[in-house]
Amino acid sequence: MKVKLHSQTHEWHERDEDHRRLHFRACWDARKWHFFHTTNQMDEWEPLLEPKLEHYEALRDVLWRKYQRKRLPWRFVEEMDIRLGEMRLQLGLPPKGAEED
């Protein structure tokens, strides 16, 4: 019996406060996401041991854009939305899109 593992790798970049380009990579290994980062000055990718909510939100944006271009199934976006909702609850933040009065 063959087992097909669904591995995913997604990359994006941002600018820090000094306007340096930061590169991020998220890899799915069928159980959890692993995040890595690098800069143009670094030779190799380094693991991001404790990714923040902002990293997961940036990954969700990448997944959404890939879904829109039909390069990714909808379930990946749904699973990330569930994960983000759980993370926001753990941090005591309101759900995404909820407006505070």
Side-chain angles (χ1 to χ4, degrees), residues 10-47:
H10 305 282
E11 295 183 6
W12 69 96
H13 64 272
E14 299 173 359
R15 299 254 182 209
D16 66 3
E17 41 298 317
D18 297 327
H19 302 289
R20 289 180 300 181
R21 189 177 236 181
L22 303 173
H23 301 272
F24 294 95
R25 177 183 288 169
C27 301
W28 174 255
D29 73 355
R31 287 182 284 164
K32 66 181 270 184
W33 288 102
H34 300 279
F35 288 82
F36 301 89
H37 68 99
T38 190
T39 64
N40 291 341
Q41 292 78 27
M42 297 168 54
D43 292 331
E44 298 192 19
W45 290 90
E46 292 184 7

Side-chain angles (χ1 to χ4, degrees):
M1 178 169 90
K2 289 186 179 182
V3 176
K4 185 175 182 180
L5 297 177
H6 295 282
S7 63
Q8 296 279 324
T9 301
H10 305 282
E11 295 183 6
W12 69 96
H13 64 272
E14 299 173 359
R15 299 254 182 209
D16 66 3
E17 41 298 317
D18 297 327
H19 302 289
R20 289 180 300 181
R21 189 177 236 181
L22 303 173
H23 301 272
F24 294 95
R25 177 183 288 169
C27 301
W28 174 255
D29 73 355
R31 287 182 284 164
K32 66 181 270 184
W33 288 102
H34 300 279
F35 288 82
F36 301 89
H37 68 99
T38 190
T39 64
N40 291 341
Q41 292 78 27
M42 297 168 54
D43 292 331
E44 298 192 19
W45 290 90
E46 292 184 7
L48 194 61
L49 300 177
E50 294 185 25
K52 298 179 182 176
L53 179 64
E54 294 82 23
H55 296 114
Y56 282 96
E57 288 174 339
L59 174 58
R60 197 268 184 205
D61 184 53
V62 170
L63 295 175
W64 170 249
R65 286 185 277 126
K66 286 188 175 186
Y67 166 74
Q68 287 181 314
R69 293 189 310 265
K70 300 184 184 329
R71 295 181 53 211
L72 190 83
W74 175 246
R75 68 182 175 89
F76 284 100
V77 178
E78 277 183 320
E79 290 169 3
M80 183 55 65
D81 284 343
I82 292 169
R83 183 179 307 264
L84 283 169
E86 292 169 353
M87 289 177 74
R88 293 181 77 75
L89 280 175
Q90 287 176 351
L91 294 171
L93 298 172
K96 189 79 171 185
E99 297 178 7
E100 294 184 31
D101 293 329

